[in-house]
Amino acid sequence: MKWYQKHRETIVQTACLLFIILFTYAGLTKLLEGHLFYDSIRNSPILGGKAMASLASWALPLSELAVALLLIWKKTRLIGLYGAAVLMLLFTGYTLAIVFFAPYRPCSCGGVISLLSWEQHLVLNAILLLLALMAIWSSLKNKGIPWKKTPQGR
């Protein structure tokens, strides 16, 4: 446990760097290839429909870029980590729904992720979700958890 205490800040910084790269790449790709992302959502067996596709095709990439920006600055890093955890929870839930409940599996990922099967993608998302949660926990431990402080320094 001593090793972990010594390296908590490094774990947080590494997780933030990974999420900054991931969300910046994903967000920019979705915006630059907007029509492809829109079509993927519209044809999704889970999220299909024009209204959802219109909303998600803008909200998701902008959210990814906003979280990446929040992770850059130390003052907003914890909020960014919460955002990363929420996004990863949504992505993991979506992938879980595709793997176990969808009548067919669409192919909508780009880049390196497109080389993964849906099951492998689910595992990757779960690992990234756990990493976000671990980074949040480490950040709270580094700052000291406010609700555990006792009055008058006791």
Side-chain angles (χ1 to χ4, degrees):
M1 214 39 156
K2 209 173 201 180
W3 177 90
Y4 176 74
Q5 292 170 345
K6 187 177 176 181
H7 293 65
R8 275 195 298 240
E9 185 62 27
T10 304
I11 291 167
V12 171
Q13 290 176 354
T14 303
C16 287
L17 181 61
L18 176 69
F19 283 119
I20 289 167
I21 293 167
L22 175 71
F23 290 141
T24 300
Y25 171 76
L28 288 175
T29 301
K30 287 174 182 135
L31 287 175
L32 293 172
E33 299 174 353
H35 63 287
L36 296 174
F37 183 56
Y38 172 84
D39 288 342
S40 294
I41 295 171
R42 194 171 46 82
N43 296 323
S44 168
I46 305 296
L47 301 175
K50 286 184 178 183
M52 179 59 79
S54 294
L55 176 66
S57 65
W58 285 102
L60 194 54
L62 292 177
S63 296
E64 289 172 325
L65 293 172
V67 167
L69 285 172
L70 288 169
L71 291 170
I72 292 172
W73 295 285
K74 202 166 192 140
K75 275 186 166 183
T76 58
R77 189 165 289 159
L78 185 58
I79 296 167
L81 287 170
Y82 280 114
V86 168
L87 286 173
M88 291 315 306
L89 184 63
L90 291 172
F91 296 150
T92 303
Y94 175 75
T95 308
L96 192 68
I98 292 290
V99 169
F100 292 105
F101 304 111
Y104 63 92
R105 294 179 179 180
C107 181
S108 60
C109 294
V112 177
I113 301 296
S114 65
L115 301 174
L116 301 177
S117 69
W118 277 97
E119 290 80 4
Q120 291 167 331
H121 197 155
L122 179 60
V123 170
L124 176 64
N125 285 354
I127 290 169
L128 291 171
L129 174 59
L130 290 175
L131 178 63
L133 295 174
M134 189 169 100
I136 290 168
W137 187 75
S138 295
S139 290
L140 292 173
K141 288 296 240 180
N142 283 346
K143 288 183 176 186
I145 302 173
W147 59 84
K148 289 210 173 189
K149 290 183 181 177
T150 56
Q152 300 165 341
R154 290 185 218 157

